[in-house]
Amino acid sequence: MQREQISVFDMFKIGIGPSSSHTLGPWRAAQQFVQSLEQQGVLPMVQQVKILLYGSLAKTGHGHGTDIAILLGLSGDDPVTFEVDQVTPKIEQIKSSHQLIIGGILPLSFYAEDDLLFLFNESLPYHPNAVTFQAFLSTGKAISETYYSIGGGFVVKEGASGQSKAEVDLPFPIDTAADLLHWCIKTGLRISEVVAENELAWRSEQETRTGALNIFKALKECIYRGCHTTGQLPGGLNVARRAAKLNARLIGNNKYSNYDEWVAAIRNTGDSFKNTLDWVSCFALAVNEENASFGRVVTAPTNGAAGVIPAVLQYYIAFCDGNTEQKIINFLFTASEIGSIFKKGATISAAMGGCQAEIGVSSAMAAAALTECMGGTQRQVLMAAEIAMEHHLGLTCDPIGGLVQVPCIERNTMGAIKAITASQLALQSNPEKAKVSLDAVVKTMWQTALDMNSKYKETSDGGLAINIPISLPEC
């Protein structure tokens, strides 16, 4: 039986940081709850709403902006279009006025300390990231709906199918790496070409192309913005942004005024090994500093790991002659297919599998994409993804203070470097002699996730989160 059908635009979503599972997912859940009230015809009858956060959403919700995302979602704002510089003013207005305008049309009295509850010691069985919305009606009745944010911005309503959209007839149905390789061998198509054919089941070729380029536009704007923004990250850890200073040092006296000129200037800085590594780190830092600052990012496949794929893609563009639309689209298509295999066979949620599920998966996606774009065979592409994940197995998620900053931001630099190394290894290897298959490493990752202690799964109950003394402001 085939698992969920996943499109490129399921794996890559435009949104606002700092977390796909703890910010984007709850935001979408809140929007779905408002839509449910509208569909049931009861929205005008709502007199009060309460929100209950469980498990990991409760334990790290403040640091991840879960409460902020939910209030914006209930207000009718959308993460794709909402202006990021209006996040703080909007939330401050809601809290100071004690008024929440549901769906942008129905004003309700709202006191966050009473109506948005963090149930730190309670969890629901389906998934650690759970939120329950309660609406109390003028009729005396109440409506309660529970949603699970299962990673990467994907949301499942309790009692509903995990399928996020209507099923289509895919020409190449794929659940595993073996399925993918089967279709590649049978048709002679590259992995990106298989993905392109499957996307036609949902929309036209031009629509898919336009959508992919919109994803890239968001990615490059995020990198560029992050490389030119200084200051400290919000949240109380007082972490200084580093990408802008690193960019300034690396770029030297080269002049530019936009992204394309910047790329050309980067090429002029030389191609030494150390220089290239520094640039890759700079790209990754830039994205995740933007993510930690409630900036506009792309889930790739999550927000916490949003810097790996853009950093490797930017490396490909700047240092490997990858600056054409078709090459960039091929990169994104290949990466998305590898990500979907991990989502179907394991998880892309750190609350379920630790950071191996986020940085590990994004590194595997990036390694595969770079390998195809550098001329690797289909088997070498799968080998690169396997190598990248194999060396992230067991990676825990232990964010200090529940913030997506330490160790999360630097982990993206590590994931990007590992992806490039995995690609280089695969391109110089014979995949026929590989001892470990991609499907085997997906299975192993899931088994590791099941065995991992919950305190290492985005709860901030273990690891660095309890060994680094901090003093955060009261929430």
Side-chain angles (χ1 to χ4, degrees):
M1 180 178 179
Q2 186 181 357
R3 299 185 180 104
E4 182 180 5
Q5 296 178 337
I6 299 176
S7 163
V8 170
F9 305 115
D10 294 319
M11 297 308 300
F12 295 116
K13 305 182 187 74
I14 299 173
I16 292 176
S19 171
S20 51
S21 59
H22 288 59
T23 315
L24 180 59
W27 194 324
R28 291 299 189 197
Q31 288 179 300
Q32 290 184 29
F33 180 62
V34 173
Q35 184 179 38
S36 175
L37 295 175
E38 291 174 335
Q39 292 172 344
Q40 295 177 64
V42 300
L43 183 58
M45 305 177 195
V46 176
Q47 293 186 320
Q48 182 186 19
V49 295
K50 282 186 177 289
I51 305 104
L52 310 177
L53 299 175
Y54 299 91
S56 182
L57 287 189
K59 291 183 176 182
T60 62
H62 280 302
H64 287 66
T66 303
D67 49 345
I68 293 171
I70 285 174
L71 294 182
L72 293 173
L74 289 175
S75 298
D77 299 309
D78 190 88
V80 176
T81 58
F82 190 71
E83 294 295 333
V84 295
D85 59 0
Q86 292 302 306
V87 171
T88 299
K90 179 71 174 279
I91 295 302
E92 289 178 349
Q93 190 273 330
I94 291 172
K95 292 183 176 180
S96 63
S97 67
H98 300 295
Q99 185 181 76
L100 183 64
I101 303 177
I102 301 295
I105 57 174
L106 179 66
L108 297 178
S109 175
F110 185 83
Y111 289 80
E113 60 272 20
D114 297 322
D115 297 327
L116 203 166
L117 305 178
F118 291 77
L119 305 178
F120 300 105
N121 298 316
E122 297 184 38
S123 295
L124 300 184
Y126 177 72
H127 194 281
N129 295 336
V131 54
T132 296
F133 297 96
Q134 298 174 336
F136 299 89
L137 311 181
S138 58
T139 61
K141 294 184 178 180
I143 293 176
S144 178
E145 294 181 359
T146 296
Y147 295 82
Y148 299 93
S149 180
I150 61 174
F154 290 86
V155 175
V156 174
K157 181 180 178 181
E158 189 168 66
S161 167
Q163 180 64 276
S164 61
K165 55 189 177 299
E167 290 194 6
V168 295
D169 291 326
L170 296 176
F172 307 118
I174 297 165
D175 284 338
T176 66
D179 294 336
L180 176 57
L181 185 59
H182 163 78
W183 292 119
C184 288
I185 293 173
K186 185 172 183 178
T187 63
L189 296 175
R190 291 155 58 88
I191 290 173
S192 59
E193 292 170 334
V194 169
V195 174
E197 291 297 317
N198 276 343
E199 293 297 315
L200 289 173
W202 283 296
R203 69 196 77 78
S204 70
E205 180 180 357
Q206 186 55 50
E207 288 174 315
T208 297
R209 184 179 184 86
T210 299
L213 292 176
N214 283 337
I215 293 295
F216 173 62
K217 180 175 182 291
L219 289 174
K220 72 178 184 179
E221 287 176 352
C222 183
I223 294 175
Y224 190 76
R225 191 170 56 247
C227 280
H228 298 86
T229 304
T230 58
Q232 288 188 334
L233 302 177
L237 284 182
N238 299 320
V239 174
R241 296 179 71 134
R242 289 179 283 175
K245 290 183 178 180
L246 183 54
N247 173 70
R249 181 174 64 80
L250 292 172
I251 208 72
N253 295 321
N254 290 279
K255 304 299 182 183
Y256 59 92
S257 59
N258 55 48
Y259 171 83
D260 289 328
E261 292 177 2
W262 180 57
V263 171
I266 290 171
R267 294 197 184 104
N268 289 334
T269 62
D271 58 358
S272 70
F273 176 71
K274 181 181 182 302
N275 183 76
T276 302
L277 285 181
D278 286 342
W279 273 118
V280 173
S281 293
C282 182
F283 302 149
L285 289 173
V287 172
N288 285 86
E289 288 171 358
E290 282 295 295
N291 180 62
S293 302
F294 289 88
R296 181 87 61 209
V297 297
V298 175
T299 62
T302 67
N303 283 28
V308 175
I309 288 170
V312 177
L313 176 56
Q314 190 68 19
Y315 160 83
Y316 175 55
I317 290 170
F319 298 106
C320 307
D321 197 30
N323 200 15
T324 71
E325 288 187 352
Q326 191 56 54
K327 290 178 179 180
I328 290 164
I329 289 171
N330 292 345
F331 188 102
L332 294 174
F333 280 9
T334 304
S336 73
E337 190 59 55
I338 298 303
S340 73
I341 289 171
F342 275 100
K343 184 179 185 300
K344 293 170 186 175
T347 181
I348 58 171
S349 166
M352 285 291 286
C355 203
Q356 61 173 353
E358 298 203 18
I359 294 295
V361 172
S362 63
S363 186
M365 293 167 67
L370 181 61
T371 303
E372 169 158 315
C373 289
M374 295 298 289
T377 67
Q378 298 96 325
R379 291 182 186 274
Q380 285 176 321
V381 171
L382 300 181
M383 183 182 188
E386 181 280 318
I387 292 171
M389 172 51 77
E390 183 179 336
H391 300 291
H392 281 94
L393 288 173
L395 186 62
T396 60
C397 181
D398 51 355
I400 296 174
L403 297 163
V404 190
Q405 296 181 19
V406 182
C408 318
I409 294 174
E410 287 182 354
R411 274 191 185 161
N412 279 264
T413 71
M414 300 296 106
I417 297 299
K418 283 187 180 181
I420 295 170
T421 301
S423 175
Q424 292 171 335
L425 283 171
L427 287 168
Q428 299 301 322
S429 300
N430 179 359
E432 300 289 344
K433 296 183 178 181
K435 300 297 183 182
V436 183
S437 69
L438 179 55
D439 284 330
V441 87
V442 172
K443 180 180 179 181
T444 303
M445 180 201 138
W446 181 234
Q447 290 172 337
T448 304
L450 295 176
D451 290 340
M452 188 180 290
N453 191 301
S454 63
K455 68 182 181 180
Y456 298 118
K457 296 181 180 181
E458 207 169 2
T459 60
S460 291
D461 288 336
L464 289 175
I466 65 170
N467 286 307
I468 305 300
I470 59 171
S471 179
L472 296 178
E474 292 295 326
C475 297

